[in-house]
Amino acid sequence: MKKKITLKHIAKELDVSISTVSKALKNSEEIGRDTKEKIQAIAKLYNYRPNNIAISLKNKRTKNIGVIIPDIVHHFFTTVFRGIEKYANEKGYNVIVCVSDESFDKEVINMEMLANGSIDGFIMALSAETQMKNDFNHLKEVTEQGIPLVLFDRITDDVICDKVIINDEEAAYNAVKKLIESGKKRIALFTTENYLGVSSKRADGYFRALKDHKLETDENLVLELPFQFEKEDKSEAFFERYSFDAVLCVNEIFAIRAMRTAQRMGIKIPQELAIIGFTDGILSKLSSPSLTAVAQHGNRMGEIAAQMLIEKVESDQERESFRTEIIEATIIERESTIH
Amino acid sequence: MKKKITLKHIAKELDVSISTVSKALKNSEEIGRDTKEKIQAIAKLYNYRPNNIAISLKNKRTKNIGVIIPDIVHHFFTTVFRGIEKYANEKGYNVIVCVSDESFDKEVINMEMLANGSIDGFIMALSAETQMKNDFNHLKEVTEQGIPLVLFDRITDDVICDKVIINDEEAAYNAVKKLIESGKKRIALFTTENYLGVSSKRADGYFRALKDHKLETDENLVLELPFQFEKEDKSEAFFERYSFDAVLCVNEIFAIRAMRTAQRMGIKIPQELAIIGFTDGILSKLSSPSLTAVAQHGNRMGEIAAQMLIEKVESDQERESFRTEIIEATIIERESTIH
DNA sequence: TTGTAGGCGTTATCAC
DNA sequence: GTGATAACGCCTACAA
């Protein structure tokens, strides 16, 4: 087993000092031609690589980014992560991921684990529980320590930092508008329980669109579904009780479930029921009929978040200036709507 | 901005030595009651946390695990990652993820980035390109340096290390057997180009099952599809040219595409065409009809991989003993097959 | 041109 | 009981 080689080894082997080796490997002008060549040759031979940890300790820079997301199985977060990872890697950064599992406690624990020197900055989306508790002390502590933080998608106004979001309200507005313009009159909304964070903005857009187009808003047409509903389907009863000719869903899963339920009941899509879902993921693309979706451009979001973070990390200037980047969502039309 | 507090700060503030502070915070018996209490009080007040990097340097242990996967958007890898992350976090480890993007070069670069002290061990699945090139020097270098390595799913016999896989050959065999027993006679296989790695094992199982059941094996019924085919669909022509009443797909995406193509052509599922796909992901669960799938138990795979790795990392004994853990795939029956 | 010394933050050993 | 010292691996200002 080849043990990891250090400057010290090389120095001893050539009977020079450690600092000479260090300088030689940086091609410093101070060192003489032949010593330099000898050292570089040996370093190559042994395949010397500086120890990242030692460098981190010295520079107080880890070149690691901490990413905390509620869930990695959901397509949207996956794409954001992909964008972060891509940009970060290009800039020589590694990405440490922690999954909060929508739990406040896990979010706190993960942040504390990483905040003690392991990373140079955080990129995160708030867990559902955190949004409900409205407790952001763990975020504030981190920013007070001067660790840069970028929030994306699930953000809060209570913490002052850089943010990246999509125009949720407007996107929902436009989606509903599209439905109305295609002749739909009674439009339902499938959203999350206590519609937290982004869902509430989407609901705002939904209601505004109805009002602007002089359609009555019927609270009955808003269905709140449990966060992670995998098995039981409350929506069937909903379909039977109320009549509607279109539905906007705050995520892809809700949309697909709605579609399946409708199909099971013999409802024709999109003629009798048009569907639009947020998140333009694999499900939307590959379902049949394929699903018209609000693309959130997760990849781009991730890239921008990473860019903002690295910018902050690498600028030593302390002047606090934060911005919120808004990404335009776009509607991808497919078979589940009339156009 | 509260600067990060160190032992030194506390020592200076209380006018004691650094080592006294260090010991006091570890509740060492050497230190007197009152000094200890004073120190601990101040540490709590300032919310002192030891610097991970310094500890890593000292211990030569980072408590980080490096994970290198070909792709994070694919459901299977996502679930494996989830399993790794979960187990690792429980054991106090963080996970650094790098995506190789199916590229050999990126895989090498990522490994080198992490191998210089950033992590205690690797968990990885080989990129497609690596499997084709059959070049595993980057893996061998890592193991020669004594860095533990666990390969999962996409493995190679050329590297000696711990491995976790599913019984791909057998799983494919059982899937085909199930199709045959339900009365199907002409069974197609949709696989990846040059069917590398796992795909070739699945093909083996496919052929063996046909032979065992005295069905003719027709090379024409094997369709090789490009690795990441998102847009164009070669399969339509295939459907027109050959006749078959069932198909086994080496992944979920291929299965859904096959289903869509069949539906477009008016073929009834499962009566006229039964479909089974590998990977029991969201797509399989939520498609209509829902898809019978070979569950690869990614979560469990990830947990086991993490367990094997951490075991190796934490055992200082050098005796080299490696094992290959095989997880039983199970078939989840749904609407796309007759049963 | 090369080497020495100090420091990044922590811990362990040994001396007082 | 408490503190000085060295060490982890690297870098750099300064001395020789």
Side-chain angles (χ1 to χ4, degrees):
Chain A
M1 188 175 93
K2 295 188 290 191
K3 258 282 145 249
K4 198 72 195 152
I5 204 99
T6 70
L7 291 182
K8 203 203 258 186
H9 294 306
I10 300 180
K12 199 185 298 176
E13 178 134 354
L14 291 176
D15 205 41
V16 292
S17 82
I18 294 176
S19 59
T20 305
V21 178
S22 174
K23 285 172 189 161
L25 292 180
K26 310 208 89 126
N27 235 324
S28 160
E29 289 310 322
E30 297 180 46
I31 308 296
R33 272 183 62 96
D34 32 348
T35 4
K36 213 152 70 173
E37 276 168 13
K38 248 192 306 187
I39 290 173
Q40 288 174 351
I42 268 244
K44 196 167 299 167
L45 174 67
Y46 286 152
N47 194 26
Y48 168 80
R49 294 272 180 281
N51 178 319
N52 289 332
I53 298 292
I55 291 177
S56 294
L57 183 58
K58 179 117 250 284
N59 298 347
K60 289 150 166 264
R61 282 278 187 80
T62 61
K63 287 261 181 183
N64 285 158
I65 289 176
V67 173
I68 300 180
I69 48 183
D71 189 342
I72 186 96
V73 181
H74 270 39
H75 188 268
F76 171 64
F77 290 121
T78 306
T79 54
V80 175
F81 173 77
R82 193 68 191 82
I84 296 173
E85 204 262 353
K86 183 155 170 287
Y87 187 89
N89 265 8
E90 279 166 13
K91 295 287 181 185
Y93 284 76
N94 287 122
V95 180
I96 300 183
V97 200
C98 289
V99 178
S100 67
D101 243 337
E102 304 288 9
S103 139
F104 175 80
D105 290 338
K106 281 202 195 166
E107 190 174 288
V108 173
I109 291 171
N110 284 328
M111 282 200 87
E112 283 184 354
M113 251 177 115
L114 297 181
N116 300 310
S118 299
I119 50 90
D120 294 340
F122 282 107
I123 296 177
M124 65 186 291
L126 299 170
S127 78
E129 225 186 352
T130 306
Q131 284 180 105
M132 288 176 54
K133 288 185 74 155
N134 246 286
D135 181 347
F136 307 110
N137 286 314
H138 50 308
L139 304 194
K140 287 174 189 158
E141 266 179 30
V142 155
T143 55
E144 272 171 19
Q145 276 178 35
I147 301 178
L149 166 67
V150 177
L151 287 177
F152 73 90
D153 192 58
R154 309 234 207 121
I155 68 172
T156 170
D157 291 339
D158 288 9
V159 179
I160 298 160
C161 64
D162 287 329
K163 289 158 196 167
V164 199
I165 48 173
I166 62 164
N167 53 344
D168 280 295
E169 200 268 357
E170 211 178 320
Y173 182 95
N174 290 334
V176 172
K177 188 171 156 219
K178 179 152 304 231
L179 291 170
I180 295 170
E181 284 170 352
S182 76
K184 301 299 183 180
K185 302 274 184 227
R186 285 186 55 79
I187 299 168
L189 174 67
F190 286 10
T191 184
T192 52
E193 284 173 323
N194 339 307
Y195 28 112
L196 25 90
V198 290
S199 295
S200 85
K201 287 197 206 136
R202 291 171 193 170
D204 291 346
Y206 161 83
F207 285 118
R208 185 164 66 88
L210 292 184
K211 277 192 200 105
D212 278 9
H213 293 83
K214 315 254 190 281
L215 288 183
E216 61 170 326
T217 73
D218 180 353
E219 287 286 351
N220 284 323
L221 287 185
V222 176
L223 175 62
E224 293 183 25
L225 292 164
F227 210 82
Q228 305 256 39
F229 82 124
E230 288 288 330
K231 29 195 79 156
E232 216 257 318
D233 216 343
K234 282 206 302 183
S235 57
E236 191 135 353
F238 185 86
F239 271 86
E240 274 160 8
R241 179 152 347 160
Y242 305 105
S243 85
F244 49 98
D245 53 14
V247 57
L248 174 67
C249 302
V250 297
N251 66 48
E252 199 178 32
I253 311 240
F254 287 6
I256 293 284
R257 307 294 297 230
M259 193 160 84
R260 289 219 66 181
T261 307
Q263 285 175 323
R264 215 168 24 237
M265 300 176 71
I267 298 169
K268 285 208 182 60
I269 296 168
Q271 297 82 1
E272 295 169 17
L273 180 73
I275 306 178
I276 299 184
F278 268 76
T279 303
D280 176 40
I282 315 183
L283 279 173
S284 303
K285 290 190 193 94
L286 296 183
S287 69
S288 58
S290 58
L291 203 61
T292 295
V294 179
Q296 295 164 279
H297 306 294
N299 246 294
R300 223 176 116 46
M301 198 168 208
E303 276 178 38
I304 290 178
Q307 189 180 354
M308 288 170 101
L309 185 73
I310 292 177
E311 212 170 88
K312 272 279 174 357
V313 167
E314 299 191 340
S315 88
D316 343 78
Q317 46 189 344
E318 293 256 341
R319 53 172 202 73
E320 313 266 326
S321 83
F322 300 103
R323 58 205 170 96
T324 296
E325 200 77 41
I326 297 171
I327 295 176
E328 295 279 321
T330 49
I331 297 179
I332 313 285
E333 295 200 49
R334 297 213 182 80
E335 297 162 4
S336 70
T337 52
I338 302 160
H339 40 273
Chain B
M1 187 176 91
K2 293 190 289 190
K3 257 282 147 249
K4 197 71 195 152
I5 203 100
T6 70
L7 292 182
K8 205 200 258 187
H9 294 307
I10 300 181
K12 200 183 299 175
E13 180 133 354
L14 290 176
D15 205 42
V16 291
S17 82
I18 294 178
S19 50
T20 304
V21 178
S22 175
K23 285 172 190 160
L25 292 180
K26 310 208 89 124
N27 236 322
S28 161
E29 289 308 324
E30 298 180 48
I31 308 297
R33 274 184 62 97
D34 32 347
T35 5
K36 215 151 71 172
E37 274 167 14
K38 246 192 307 186
I39 290 173
Q40 288 174 351
I42 268 242
K44 196 167 297 166
L45 174 67
Y46 286 152
N47 194 26
Y48 168 80
R49 294 273 180 280
N51 179 320
N52 290 332
I53 298 293
I55 291 177
S56 294
L57 182 60
K58 185 115 247 289
N59 298 345
K60 288 153 167 262
R61 282 276 186 80
T62 60
K63 286 263 181 181
N64 285 157
I65 289 177
V67 172
I68 301 180
I69 47 182
D71 189 343
I72 186 100
V73 181
H74 270 39
H75 188 267
F76 171 64
F77 289 120
T78 305
T79 53
V80 175
F81 173 77
R82 194 66 191 82
I84 295 173
E85 203 262 351
K86 185 155 167 288
Y87 187 89
N89 265 9
E90 279 166 12
K91 295 289 181 181
Y93 284 77
N94 287 122
V95 180
I96 300 184
V97 199
C98 289
V99 178
S100 68
D101 242 339
E102 304 288 9
S103 139
F104 175 81
D105 290 339
K106 281 201 196 165
E107 190 175 289
V108 173
I109 291 171
N110 283 328
M111 282 199 88
E112 284 183 352
M113 253 176 114
L114 298 181
N116 300 309
S118 299
I119 50 91
D120 294 340
F122 282 107
I123 296 177
M124 63 187 292
L126 299 170
S127 78
E129 226 187 349
T130 306
Q131 285 180 104
M132 289 177 54
K133 287 185 77 156
N134 245 286
D135 181 346
F136 307 111
N137 285 313
H138 51 307
L139 303 194
K140 287 173 188 159
E141 267 179 29
V142 155
T143 54
E144 273 171 18
Q145 277 178 35
I147 302 178
L149 166 67
V150 177
L151 288 177
F152 73 89
D153 192 57
R154 307 231 207 127
I155 67 171
T156 172
D157 291 338
D158 289 11
V159 179
I160 299 161
C161 65
D162 286 329
K163 289 158 197 169
V164 199
I165 49 174
I166 62 163
N167 52 344
D168 279 296
E169 201 268 356
E170 210 178 321
Y173 182 94
N174 290 334
V176 172
K177 187 171 155 220
K178 179 153 302 235
L179 290 170
I180 294 170
E181 284 170 351
S182 77
K184 301 298 184 180
K185 302 276 184 223
R186 286 185 56 77
I187 299 167
L189 173 68
F190 285 12
T191 183
T192 53
E193 284 174 323
N194 339 306
Y195 29 113
L196 26 90
V198 290
S199 294
S200 85
K201 288 196 203 135
R202 291 172 193 169
D204 291 346
Y206 161 82
F207 285 118
R208 185 163 67 87
L210 293 185
K211 278 192 198 103
D212 278 8
H213 293 84
K214 316 256 189 279
L215 287 182
E216 62 170 326
T217 72
D218 181 352
E219 286 286 352
N220 283 323
L221 287 185
V222 176
L223 176 62
E224 294 183 23
L225 292 165
F227 210 83
Q228 304 257 39
F229 81 127
E230 288 288 328
K231 28 197 80 154
E232 214 257 318
D233 216 343
K234 282 207 299 183
S235 56
E236 191 134 356
F238 184 87
F239 270 85
E240 275 161 8
R241 179 152 344 159
Y242 305 105
S243 85
F244 48 98
D245 53 14
V247 55
L248 175 67
C249 301
V250 299
N251 66 48
E252 197 179 34
I253 310 239
F254 287 5
I256 293 285
R257 306 296 294 231
M259 192 159 86
R260 290 219 64 182
T261 307
Q263 285 175 322
R264 219 172 18 239
M265 300 174 73
I267 297 169
K268 285 205 182 63
I269 295 168
Q271 298 82 2
E272 296 170 16
L273 181 73
I275 306 178
I276 298 185
F278 269 74
T279 303
D280 176 41
I282 314 181
L283 280 173
S284 302
K285 288 190 195 93
L286 296 184
S287 70
S288 56
S290 58
L291 203 60
T292 295
V294 179
Q296 295 164 280
H297 305 296
N299 247 294
R300 224 177 114 46
M301 198 169 210
E303 276 177 37
I304 290 178
Q307 189 181 352
M308 289 171 99
L309 185 73
I310 291 176
E311 213 170 88
K312 272 277 176 353
V313 166
E314 298 191 341
S315 89
D316 343 80
Q317 47 190 347
E318 291 256 342
R319 53 171 201 73
E320 313 265 326
S321 82
F322 301 103
R323 59 206 170 96
T324 297
E325 200 77 41
I326 297 171
I327 296 176
E328 295 277 321
T330 49
I331 298 179
I332 313 286
E333 295 199 47
R334 298 213 181 79
E335 297 162 4
S336 70
T337 52
I338 302 160
H339 42 272

